[in-house]
Amino acid sequence: QVQLVESGGGLVQAGGSLRLSCVASGRTHLMYDMGWFRQAPGKEREFVAAIKSRGSSTYYAESAKGRFTISSDNAQNTVYLQMDRLKPEDTAIYYCAARMGSARLDWTKGYAYWGQGTQATVSS
């Protein structure tokens, strides 16, 4: 079992930045790929970014490319999502997730462990 706790959400104006953190505890000695997803009101949960175990590769949704950066600090069991040039449409609850295996990284159901989420609100 892995427990995930997100933080760093908040209210920011359009064009601003937020840095989300996700701290993992439990069986963190195992190699997990980590992902960030988001869910806006009335919409399905969608993929934002992912990083392979040990931070070897990163992947982004088209909406995140060029604005968001995912990174990891394995010594601290923490994954970050730096979000720059935020837009009102980025408003959502952001979830951290962990998985093992070889399914597509943007596949929500491929992730076994999820955090409770952190709210990010971007005002226009």
Side-chain angles (χ1 to χ4, degrees), residues 32-111:
Y32 294 96
D33 301 326
M34 301 296 295
W36 284 97
F37 293 75
R38 67 186 183 186
Q39 188 166 18
K43 295 187 177 181
E44 292 189 354
R45 193 169 297 188
E46 64 175 7
F47 170 75
V48 176
I51 187 166
K52 294 288 286 183
S53 58
R54 296 189 179 279
S56 56
S57 301
T58 57
Y59 304 86
Y60 297 92
E62 284 298 322
S63 60
K65 287 180 180 178
R67 299 189 300 126
F68 294 1
T69 303
I70 188 170
S71 61
S72 64
D73 182 340
N74 290 332
Q76 299 295 324
N77 295 322
T78 302
V79 176
Y80 303 97
L81 184 68
Q82 176 68 41
M83 305 190 296
D84 299 318
R85 293 187 282 137
L86 284 162
K87 306 174 182 179
E89 51 264 44
D90 294 318
T91 295
I93 299 174
Y94 284 74
Y95 297 91
C96 174
R99 53 152 255 183
M100 300 178 73
S102 58
R104 286 176 53 139
L105 284 166
D106 61 351
W107 189 46
T108 305
K109 293 184 178 180
Y111 289 79

